[in-house]
Amino acid sequence: MPNRLARATSPYLQQHAENPVDWWEWSDEALAVAQELDRPILLSVGYAACHWCHVMAHESFEDAATAAYMNDHYINIKVDREERPDIDAVYMKATTAMTGQGGWPMTCVLTPTGEPFFAGTYFPPEPRQGTPAFTQVLQALAEAWRDRRDEVLTISNDVLEHLRQNTDSVGGPLGSDQLDDAVAELAKQYDAEAGGFGTSPKFPPSMVLEFLLRNAARTGSEQALGMVAGSCEAMARGGMYDQLSGGFARYSVDRFWRVPHFEKMLYDNALLLRVYLHWWRQTGSPLAERIARETARFMLDELRTPEGGFASALDADSDGHEGTFYVWNPNQLMRLLGADDGAWAAQLLGVTGPGTFERGFSTLQLRVDPDDAERWERVRTTLLAARAERTRPARDDKVVASWNGLAITALAEASVLLDEPDFADAAVAAAQLLVDVHLADGFARTSRDGVAGANSAVLEDHGAVAEAFIAVLGITGEAVWLDQARQLLDRVVEHFTDPDGGFFDTADDAETLVVRPKDASDNAYPSGASAAVAALLSFAAITGGHGYRAAAESGIASAANIATQVPRFAGWTLAAAEAVVAGPLEIAVVGPRKDRTALHRAALRLASPGAVVIAGDVGLAIPLFEQRDLVDGHPAAYVCEGFVCRRPVTDPDELVSAFGTPTG
């Protein structure tokens, strides 16, 4: 019989609906049953595109004997980390504190009231490389709960005390000296040979790259721009990037970006679209422009849902193996392309006899541009057609508010800079879905098939979606989007602010967990605090609202110690601080839509950190447009910086020459 997860809206939870484990969703009822039966809670956290989550499910949760033991001794709760990042944050902090590392699947054992006393990640079905079997862990912990209760409670109290410690000590503002010091610190960790930072596995450092681009724009630093160029080129030319249809995988398992973990996440591609767009804007790199266009097309082609939002992810697996959809061997190329084109493609794409991946297969790399563009297009088209016949990876079509916010912001900007109107249409449609579905009754973090989920939005959702609404205002000139952003940011200030500085990740009227999570460090995507800071800064620039600016500066200060000590985990905060140092520029492009396009594009081509650009008709009912009119009948750009406004400019070339000389 299906368990309770058959009624879940999460694709990840539904993947476990046929397990023999008697799963619960996280709920007051589940905790109440645990207390009534005096059983510990087995908490399993993962997400739909997680490869090792699938492995552990097949090995343990689908095994009847293992499931029977779990059902007899535990209350078993399954959580989708993408639906409940607040629960994930609390217990991931416990996991890293207890084991020194984290990741998914995350496996925690809790007291019936939710305090953790054991934590780990993946456990195999039999002992392996020093890791005990999952059944051994289950039996040992059940016995400890039964026979050594005092010892267990002592551990849980110690862990809870650690979780309650606020690690975000408020520092000072991040000025130009601190920002330049962060660049120097990043340079020490930069891999000059392979691009990126640190060693394997390597994750795309999207937020750090945005910071470095802004720093280079402000200071002219060749060092900062060089780290961006080296990293972006290496990622785009390696197996991390889908050389046939665009889109980035989650991370590279090796230092040189050859072999990825093949899942494709919306947030990675949204953030990287913006990075490559800005890299092109600052350098004119043809590679940057191509990757930006292809990444945006991938998002529209592969991740758009029928309702107009963007799905969370594509799975890594198909046909029972990771990467099957994406990898090739020389025989396949020869059979499809013929001997000449097959050999040429194999050499061009790094497909070898032994293989660069597994089972004699290779990922596709494009380390140099093809010497024959027409031939490459013919080969690419043939390979795409053949790949389309393969079993496609599953898609997690859950719409996550914050990740859609990141996508909307990137697509809105790209629509103007790349002259792609359908990018704008997609951005507006996704924003409208968020209004119509996610914000129809409170603020739901997720939706699926046009139906809002039951879980409330957290801080990152408020920040990323507010910034997205501001981006849509910027390209449509419709004041309603500023009103939508205001409602979200007012809630941030009123319900998420920590009196001691910065922001909590959950609202003061949200569900109470064992601790209220607060973490200003960026991980795979911007933290709630840094997402809120970015939106607050832009909103303050448009409205002149000093309270919003003060809230943003408080958020930056709350992450100052992280930003100065470990800047790799504070890229979005550092990028926001660059905007503070730069002003940011406030640019109102005034005029009819059909006449203002060139001026609007010129304004967005300015690389000034965090510049806020709004284009709209005369009389747009927002503060930035007050008393702003055409100049001699022509559209005009009004530019202000640091409470000082310049004379309006009507010539796009004059705007560029006055405020920067981008080459994109």
Side-chain angles (χ1 to χ4, degrees):
M1 295 290 292
N3 56 45
R4 296 174 189 82
L5 303 187
R7 300 189 298 271
T9 58
S10 159
Y12 173 64
L13 298 188
Q14 287 189 350
Q15 289 173 356
H16 295 269
E18 300 293 334
N19 292 169
V21 178
D22 186 20
W23 290 115
W24 293 76
E25 291 191 63
W26 182 275
S27 63
D28 290 340
E29 182 184 4
L31 271 67
V33 170
Q35 292 166 42
E36 179 184 349
L37 298 179
D38 192 34
R39 289 188 189 173
I41 293 168
L42 189 288
L43 175 66
S44 177
V45 183
Y47 59 100
C50 168
H51 170 70
W52 286 102
C53 299
H54 301 330
V55 172
M56 189 167 177
H58 294 321
E59 293 174 340
S60 295
F61 302 146
E62 295 174 7
D63 179 72
T66 303
Y69 192 89
M70 293 171 68
N71 295 340
D72 289 343
H73 295 86
Y74 294 89
I75 298 301
N76 304 291
I77 298 179
K78 176 65 76 171
V79 168
D80 182 341
R81 67 167 298 267
E82 296 172 355
E83 283 198 330
R84 293 301 304 265
D86 50 342
I87 293 172
D88 180 67
V90 169
Y91 294 105
M92 184 58 73
K93 186 175 180 180
T95 300
T96 55
M98 298 172 80
T99 70
Q101 61 184 7
W104 300 276
M106 177 167 63
T107 307
C108 296
V109 181
L110 324 177
T111 69
T113 50
E115 295 87 359
F117 62 88
F118 175 86
T121 52
Y122 163 80
F123 289 97
E126 65 280 323
R128 189 181 302 160
Q129 297 177 337
T131 301
F134 185 51
T135 52
Q136 291 176 317
V137 172
L138 293 174
Q139 292 166 6
L141 293 172
E143 292 170 2
W145 180 254
R146 184 189 65 217
D147 300 333
R148 302 192 304 279
R149 182 74 59 91
D150 290 345
E151 178 183 336
V152 168
L153 294 178
T154 297
I155 293 172
S156 69
N157 288 333
D158 290 344
V159 174
L160 191 61
E161 181 60 31
H162 174 80
L163 296 181
R164 286 173 174 160
Q165 293 174 4
N166 184 2
T167 57
D168 294 340
S169 54
V170 177
L174 294 174
S176 57
D177 289 344
Q178 289 79 21
L179 296 172
D180 294 343
D181 288 345
V183 173
E185 182 60 32
L186 289 167
K188 297 175 185 176
Q189 303 172 49
Y190 177 65
D191 186 339
E193 183 182 8
F197 299 89
T199 57
S200 59
K202 275 187 176 172
F203 291 81
S206 312
M207 293 152 283
V208 166
L209 296 177
E210 179 65 26
F211 159 60
L212 292 171
L213 282 166
R214 292 187 180 193
N215 181 268
R218 176 176 62 85
T219 67
S221 169
E222 293 184 3
Q223 182 183 51
L225 195 57
M227 288 188 277
V228 173
S231 299
C232 284
E233 178 150 3
M235 289 191 295
R237 293 197 179 280
M240 266 276 296
Y241 185 69
D242 187 339
Q243 304 297 344
L244 297 184
S245 66
F248 288 89
R250 174 76 275 265
Y251 63 87
S252 174
V253 300
D254 66 286
R255 177 185 162 205
F256 289 90
W257 311 97
R258 292 188 187 104
V259 178
H261 184 43
F262 289 89
E263 63 190 4
K264 291 181 178 178
M265 310 300 298
L266 173 61
Y267 54 76
D268 284 321
N269 286 281
L271 289 165
L272 286 167
L273 165 56
R274 206 169 176 193
V275 166
Y276 281 88
L277 187 68
H278 292 173
W279 180 35
W280 168 68
R281 178 175 67 182
Q282 286 179 232
T283 67
S285 163
L287 175 65
E289 181 184 8
R290 175 172 70 82
I291 299 301
R293 290 184 187 276
E294 291 176 356
T295 302
R297 287 285 166 209
F298 159 75
M299 291 164 59
L300 267 60
D301 293 344
E302 300 289 341
L303 296 179
R304 252 193 127 187
T305 68
E307 297 76 32
F310 290 91
S312 297
L314 299 181
D315 207 337
D317 300 3
S318 56
D319 290 334
H321 294 283
E322 183 182 2
T324 301
F325 185 71
Y326 300 102
V327 296
W328 302 81
N329 63 37
N331 288 337
Q332 291 172 324
L333 298 184
M334 298 294 181
R335 187 171 62 251
L336 287 167
L337 302 170
D340 289 344
D341 278 356
W344 180 80
Q347 182 176 20
L348 177 69
L349 296 169
V351 177
T352 67
T356 58
F357 179 49
E358 298 172 349
R359 297 174 288 119
F361 288 98
S362 296
T363 61
L364 299 187
Q365 304 172 68
L366 196 62
R367 295 296 179 180
V368 296
D369 290 331
D371 55 11
D372 186 335
E374 184 176 333
R375 188 181 193 185
W376 164 239
E377 185 57 29
R378 184 175 69 247
V379 164
R380 191 183 73 87
T381 301
T382 301
L383 295 181
L384 267 176
R387 196 175 77 172
E389 300 299 317
R390 297 176 175 179
T391 302
R392 298 187 65 82
R395 187 174 85 163
D396 181 347
D397 53 2
K398 173 176 76 273
V399 172
V400 177
S402 63
W403 304 355
N404 272 253
L406 297 174
I408 291 164
T409 301
L411 287 167
E413 197 172 348
S415 71
V416 179
L417 280 170
L418 300 176
D419 192 19
E420 295 282 1
D422 58 333
F423 294 176
D425 294 341
V428 174
Q432 193 62 55
L433 175 71
L434 293 177
V435 171
D436 293 342
V437 175
H438 289 245
L439 290 163
D441 182 16
F443 188 2
R445 173 166 169 81
T446 62
S447 70
R448 192 179 184 204
D449 300 328
V451 178
N455 299 305
S456 298
V458 294
L459 179 62
E460 71 183 56
D461 299 304
H462 288 72
V465 173
E467 186 174 24
F469 288 162
I470 292 169
V472 173
L473 164 68
I475 63 171
T476 64
E478 297 173 0
V480 63
W481 296 108
L482 187 67
D483 295 335
Q484 293 286 355
R486 185 191 305 274
Q487 293 177 38
L488 295 181
L489 294 177
D490 282 349
R491 178 163 169 78
V492 167
V493 173
E494 293 168 10
H495 293 282
F496 289 84
T497 298
D498 182 349
D500 295 327
F503 305 98
F504 289 105
D505 292 328
T506 55
D508 56 12
D509 54 4
E511 176 187 352
T512 301
L513 302 176
V514 291
V515 294
R516 189 177 178 190
K518 181 187 181 189
D519 186 357
S521 59
D522 298 325
N523 201 309
Y525 44 87
S527 69
S530 60
V533 163
L536 287 162
L537 278 176
S538 295
F539 190 84
I542 297 166
T543 63
H546 295 293
Y548 300 105
R549 171 85 175 209
E553 291 175 349
S554 172
I556 291 173
S558 74
N561 289 339
I562 300 171
T564 54
Q565 295 171 19
V566 281
R568 282 174 60 186
F569 297 96
W572 215 241
T573 294
L574 288 162
E578 285 284 358
V580 170
V581 172
L585 286 183
E586 305 156 8
I587 306 174
V589 180
V590 181
R593 181 187 294 271
K594 62 183 178 63
D595 299 328
R596 70 185 186 231
T597 301
L599 201 58
H600 188 191
R601 185 170 296 122
L604 278 173
R605 285 177 60 204
L606 299 176
S608 179
V612 178
V613 180
I614 308 295
D617 290 330
V618 174
L620 175 61
I622 66 172
L624 192 61
F625 272 60
E626 288 180 2
Q627 300 182 28
R628 302 284 174 73
D629 208 337
L630 303 179
V631 174
D632 298 329
H634 297 290
Y638 292 80
V639 182
C640 299
E641 180 180 11
F643 310 109
V644 176
C645 296
R646 313 290 183 86
R647 65 175 181 81
V649 177
T650 59
D651 182 354
D653 292 336
E654 184 181 350
L655 178 64
V656 169
S657 63
F659 294 97
T661 311
T663 55

